[in-house]
Amino acid sequence: MEMNRIEEEQTVFEIGVVVPKRNVEEENEDCNCVEVLVDEFTKVGLIVERVQGVADEFIKLAAPLETLGRAAAELKLKKRTHIGMDLQFEWEEVDAFVKQPDGSLFSWFERFHCYNHLIYGIVNKSKSAVTLKYDGKEFCWEVGENLVPKLESVRFIKQVFPLHDEMKRKKLLKNWALNWWDITDQPIDEIYSYFGAKIAIYFAFLGMYTRWMFFPAAFAITVQLIDFGSLQLLVLPIFFIGIILWAVMFSQFWKRKNSALLARWQISYSVGVEPGYKLLGMEWGSIQSPVKASRKWGTDKTNEKEVYPRSEWFGHLLRFRNDAIVIMSIIFLQLPFELAYAHLYEVIVSDVMKFGLTAVYLFAIQHFTRIGGKISVRLIKYENNETAEKRADSLVYKVFGLYFMQTYIGVFYHALLHRNFLTLRQVLIQRLLISEVLENLLENSLPYLKYSYKKYGVRKKKRREKGSSTGKIQFSSRVEKEYLKPSYTASIAEELEDGLFDDCLELALQFGMIMMFACAFPLAFAFATLNNITEIRTDALKLLAMLKRPVPRAATTIGAWLNIFQFLIVMSICTNCAFLVWFYDHEGKWSIEPGLAIILVIEHILLLIKFGFSRFVPEEPAWVRANRVKNATQAQDVCSKQLLRTISGGRKMFGEVKESEKNDL
């Protein structure tokens, strides 16, 4: 207990603030922006350290446990108690609350919120405005005005960002990113403590998915290498049934693992970021909830009954309208473009012309997808989504529709229209091998190139200021190196999603490729398994060494991506049944009538298994349900006893008042 408290109270700088490096000494030091900012940070209880960089000055911030605890109490954060209830945090009752798996009182997500509250909550409480100066400029910090947003608006504060904890970062590098011998094993609890729930859940999903991929990969290699003789006709149907059952079981058992992780991390399903809450410079849109609306329009019961359905159906209609706009755009704009490319690729003979056509196609499709993402973000702003997580899910569905058409329509064209299985296999090999290898190289080299370019730009600017082109400029401070690194942002709509959007999108497109075309190219599972083993380590290295520490985000699942995986399983049942029919008819080994009947029966059975398996395997492990019931029972007992004491005390007081009134009479 004492060791954990001592460990938490060690000074670890977790937030960095970037301000201009002062070149000219101000006449009045008290009016200097940096001095005022440092003084205000100290007043709210933060530990401050100033670091001089090559081009900027950096203010590193740390917070003692008591400072974070009092900020958590002001924010009214809810935390798990020892009786299993989530109660509002009180610093004076700190021993009543459960600690994190690593022994700390607050998770990284909770600490980040507390830092945000302390940094952005600094207000001018004096009776007069304060004049701030820097580099010959001056402006007023008005009474009641927040300091940090003011300094951001005048571009004095360049950025506020989370800092890596060097000790924990090196430990994760050794035990996770560079530990290739563990293959799919990962220190998930340490990842959660360092990066937060959203990133930890993604890596838990990726690890489990890769581990489960060993079965279909081994099955596919067996199908490809062994000649089964007279039973060869049954091999593909059996393989198809096997991988569908595998996908259905994986989906359900992932839900069980997900619920087990949430129970271990003491996270409830209701966790989320409230609308309108600002996180270190990022503003989530403010959308009025039905509850707030009902409070605004009055407490009349009849009015409430009208408000809730009206708000609910209005939100459904807005989402339906936006989804319809996206779907119609895909059908009438993207579909003809994709079909034209697939047709030209089929009829062109010259490999050089095919290469040129593909280059033009990739250039055009990148712009089309970027435009589609921007349109999707604008549409989402008009939807009645209550939280940032729901808005992000809505974005995922819309953007995945664009990528689904972009990725699969050409493959469907070769497979279903021309029944050209040789070309289909070539396209699948090209997409799985060449595309994924190039994407991984690009994904992991781009951050380093951006970092090197920023360092070059700073050096060039510094030499120009000195008037000398010679001399070596060293970046000695770690905080400056972190500032120059790229952020973990999404390629589309970074205000709603972080870099996990691109990682999850890549995983979903791969899953769709290997599942929907499993009968055409079984070896795809083996290639995907090798790629995912590499992906675990390269993604970890990217987060720990090449990028800034990501801003933690609330999450309880992988969100909309799980529904997309479920959709792709259903699609794979339909597409593989069609492949089996056309494959055997093309080879002339099956009569189409009995073959079609058998495959249709298989399709219906697999669909029934897909939707019925969730009833057979519960989404929560037994120990999670038992703990939940136990905690609920304990909480009910405590509340009942407290309520009875309150009632008894009230009656006793009421009786004493009546007795005194009788005596007076």
Side-chain angles (χ1 to χ4, degrees), residues 334-348 353-362 364-365 405-407 409-411 413-414 427 430-431:
Q334 190 177 8
L335 181 59
F337 177 76
E338 297 287 348
L339 288 175
Y341 165 71
H343 178 72
L344 289 173
Y345 191 89
E346 183 74 27
V347 298
I348 290 176
M353 291 187 67
K354 283 185 177 181
F355 179 81
L357 177 67
T358 303
V360 173
Y361 164 77
L362 291 174
I365 204 64
M405 189 66 65
Q406 170 190 334
T407 305
I409 192 64
V411 187
Y413 180 85
H414 297 301
V427 172
Q430 177 186 345
R431 296 284 178 97

Side-chain angles (χ1 to χ4, degrees), residues 159-162 282 447 450-451 454 482-491 494 498-499 502 542-543 546-551:
Q159 194 174 12
V160 182
F161 64 98
M282 296 188 305
K450 289 180 180 178
Y451 172 61
K454 281 188 176 181
E482 286 192 34
Y483 169 61
L484 295 175
K485 290 178 181 178
S487 300
Y488 188 50
T489 54
S491 58
E494 60 185 50
D498 56 15
D502 298 295
K542 176 180 66 177
L543 285 171
M546 300 181 185
L547 300 172
K548 289 188 181 77
R549 189 177 184 180
V551 171

